């Protein structure tokens, strides 16, 4: 161990402080630096005075992440935190463009520089080796640990990961608590950065100098999810989801951890229009997914969420053959591609929460004729969307996965919504002996393995997965493009539950937090604007349409009862038209937690769509039509908040319609009501 601060550490600290180095101070071989392609980000990797690996990040000459440590504690041996030296490094770079089968944009640019730094512990710590691969993009940064094969360390039993992020600038954080009983379905908190406790990721920060940051992870495979725990001041470190095995993660070497990521931008738009985590995932491993078509869907759903119908059998059973056929007729008539039916299967009778062992994923209840409904749907060119609520019992689900997916394929079903309703630590996984059950976490290593098993099995049978109460999204849709979306935050369902309803700033916060991780099955389109017992939503009618542009998913629900959708023909017309697949997406106006207006171009036509959501503060915006294709004149059909509209009174139903002509470069003034929104379709020509 080094008794005094090394030259390398002095160099890192000097750089970190933004101080120019004295001319004679050459970096020694134990300091590695790298820059992003445009030079704006400068990474320094070294070891500190206690021989602990540290990195720091400077942006545009200013410290962004101060010297932050790297390492692991183990449950069965010496920790990998001290006694390290750098033994070598290798650099690489890439500038490529790849195509998504579906998404917010068709082409994704991957332009980065990378450096792999090799660390080794001294003999006191058994000479263990640990490599860290850093990638620098102009708008983000990621690194992962790579544990090479080595003598004396066949299996790594990780107690916790000690990756730090020492955030240099003060500012505001937008976050939900990690490791809490209700997983991610919480109200977002807006606090000073030094007011964060343990946060789920993505956690978003806006610094006082205007820099926007979002901390997350990419490619969470066979590992436990990480949370960010504030240690002191603005110093955060990773902590991993627990496991019933005592060690948070158990892996045989060689293996790589997920990437630890930071999106970095000068504006809210730079945070949103950012493909950092997708770029850090592996390319498509399952091949052609053209059998999955982005679509809009309706569901036999809201009736159960509100409590009018039941999932269980009985006089108020929602999933009857008759109702499913009625919904299929409505879907066919109004251009919806899918119908979700929940409560179709055996296992819902009794207290299904905590009784996941009762669910069957192949047997329908007597008043739901699965084959007949699927055939009726096919005849009407509507797809039945399957529903697999597991109650968190993944042992029961895994045992039925193959026959279930096979059955759905045979019925022409190409998507399934899964569900893991259980409290934190309430996932029931198979144990080592028959009949033994182990309690796991929604984001622990075993559940992470489970989700991939579901997605891989589903892919074999051409089924796409929409997971509720899921593990967080870390960009795996690039590798498994049948993992189409997830829930993973408070969705529309909370609006049915009175005192738990979402506030007006919920959706404009989601856009800049949860949505940075990937598509969400938020289930917009609650045109009645009311939940159970007529409790109103904190939303105007126009905001319900704006949600289709603000909250991206390749399957978008119109979640209200069909009677309510039919009672709003003009709004239904927008929902019919709005695509669920885009060739381009841009945030054209917005601030974190306040409002978000997107411009998105249809993947299958020359149409553009503009719209989004507002918080409780009314705003006058002037939208620049700079994104439009040159040389074209567009007819814009506008759905906007009516005069005097506000989420606070019955005036929430006030909506106004307009038709205007627009071309590239024009300005469009628009007023957003408190709790309001807007939706615009721009069609070239008349
Ligand atoms: C919670 C899900 O979020 C909701 O959409 C679903 O209807 C219920 N669980 C039952 O599976
Ligand atoms: Ca849920």
């Amino acid at each position: 161990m080094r008794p005094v601060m090394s030259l390398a550490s002095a160099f890192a600290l000097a750089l970190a402080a933004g101080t120019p180095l004295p001319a004679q101070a050459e970096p020694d071989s134990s300091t590695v630096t790298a820059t992003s392609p445009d030079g704006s980000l400068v990474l320094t990797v070294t070891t500190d005075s206690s021989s602990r690996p540290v990195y720091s990040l400077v942006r545009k000459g200013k410290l962004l992440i101060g010297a932050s440590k790297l390492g692991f504690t183990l449950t069965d041996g010496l920790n990998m935190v001290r006694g390290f030296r750098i033994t070598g490094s290798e650099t690489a770079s890439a500038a490529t463009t790849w195509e998504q089968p579906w998404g917010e944009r068709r082409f994704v640019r991957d332009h980065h520089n990378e450096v792999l730094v090799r660390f080794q512990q001294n003999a006191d710590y058994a000479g263990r080796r640990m490599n860290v691969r850093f990638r620098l993009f102009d708008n983000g940064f990621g690194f992962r640990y790579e544990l090479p094969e080595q003598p004396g360390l066949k299996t790594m039993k990780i107690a916790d990961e000690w990756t730090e992020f020492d955030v240099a600038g003060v500012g505001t954080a937008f976050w939900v608590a990690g490791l809490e009983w209700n997983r991610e379905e919480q109200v977002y908190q807006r606090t000073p950065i030094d007011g964060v406790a343990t946060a789920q990721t993505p956690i978003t920060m806006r610094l006082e100098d205007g820099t926007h940051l979002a901390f997350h992870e990419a490619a969470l495979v066979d590992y436990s999810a990480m949370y960010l725990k504030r240690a002191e001041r603005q110093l955060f470190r990773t902590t991993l989801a627990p496991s019933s095995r005592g060690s948070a993660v158990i892996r045989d070497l060689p293996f790589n951890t997920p990437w630890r990521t930071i999106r970095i931008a000068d504006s809210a738009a730079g945070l949103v229009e950012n493909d950092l985590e997708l770029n850090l995932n592996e390319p498509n491993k399952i091949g052609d997914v053209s059998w999955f078509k982005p679509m809009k869907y309706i569901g036999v759903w809201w009736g159960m969420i509100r409590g009018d119908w039941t999932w269980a059998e009985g006089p108020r059973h929602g999933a009857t053959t008759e109702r499913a056929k009625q919904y299929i007729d409505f879907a066919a008539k109004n251009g919806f591609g899918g119908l979700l039916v929940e409560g179709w299967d055996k296992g819902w009778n009794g207290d299904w929460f905590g009784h996941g062992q009762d669910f069957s994923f192949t047997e329908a209840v007597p008043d739901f004729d699965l084959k007949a409904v699927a055939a009726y749907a096919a005849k009407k060119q509507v797809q039945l969307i399957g529903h697999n609520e597991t109650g968190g019992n993944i042992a029961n689900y895994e045992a039925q996965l193959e026959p279930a997916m096979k059955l759905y394929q045979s019925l022409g079903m190409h998507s399934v919504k899964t569900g893991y309703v259980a409290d934190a630590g309430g996932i029931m996984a198979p144990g080592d002996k028959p009949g033994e059950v182990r309690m796991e976490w929604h984001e622990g290593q075993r559940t992470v393995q489970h989700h991939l098993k579901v997605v891989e099995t589903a892919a074999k049978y051409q089924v796409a997965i929409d997971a509720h109460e899921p593990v967080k999204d870390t960009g795996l849709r690039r590798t498994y493009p049948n993992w189409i979306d997830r829930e993973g935050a408070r969705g529309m369902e909370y609006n049915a539950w009175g005192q738990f309803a979402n506030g007006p700033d919920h959706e404009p916060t989601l856009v800049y937090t949860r949505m940075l991780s990937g598509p969400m099955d938020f289930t917009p389109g609650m045109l009645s604007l009311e939940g159970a017992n007529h409790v109103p939503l904190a939303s105007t009618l126009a905001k319900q349409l704006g949600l289709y542009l603000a909250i991206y998913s390749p399957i978008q629900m119109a979640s209200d009862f069909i009677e309510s959708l039919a009672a709003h023909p003009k709004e239904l017309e927008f929902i019919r038209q709005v695509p669920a697949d885009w060739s381009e997406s841009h945030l054209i106006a917005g601030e974190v937690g306040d409002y978000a207006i997107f411009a998105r171009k249809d993947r299958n036509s020359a149409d553009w769509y503009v719209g989004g959501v507002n918080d409780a503060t009314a705003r006058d915006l002037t939208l620049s039509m700079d994104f439009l294709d040159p040389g074209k004149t567009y007819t814009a059909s506008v759905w906007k908040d009516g005069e005097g509209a506000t989420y606070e009174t019955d005036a929430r139903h006030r909506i106004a319609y307009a038709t205007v002509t627009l071309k590239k470069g024009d300005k469009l003034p628009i007023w957003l009501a408190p709790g309001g929104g807007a939706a615009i379709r721009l069609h070239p020509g008349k």
Side-chain angles (χ1 to χ4, degrees), residues 346-349 351-361 389-397 399-400 421 426 428 437:
K346 291 189 178 161
W348 291 92
N349 296 340
D351 184 5
W352 55 272
F353 191 102
H355 288 265
Q357 73 276 8
D358 297 339
F359 285 115
S360 165
F361 303 106
E389 174 56 65
T390 67
N393 192 319
I394 64 174
N396 180 39
Y397 191 30
Q400 299 182 52
V421 171
M428 300 172 89
V437 164

Side-chain angles (χ1 to χ4, degrees), residues 183 185 300-302 304-305 311 340 342-343 348 352 359 387-391 417-421 467-469 487-489 491 493-494 497 521 523 557:
R183 309 165 312 274
E185 295 181 8
V300 176
W301 180 74
W302 186 238
M304 284 88 92
I305 292 290
W311 282 279
L340 166 75
E342 297 197 2
W348 291 92
W352 55 272
F359 285 115
H387 183 236
N388 292 172
E389 174 56 65
T390 67
K417 168 178 170 179
T418 59
Y420 297 87
V421 171
H468 279 233
E469 299 78 40
E487 189 188 39
E493 62 185 7
Y494 278 78
W497 304 327
D521 191 27
T523 74
M557 193 180 202

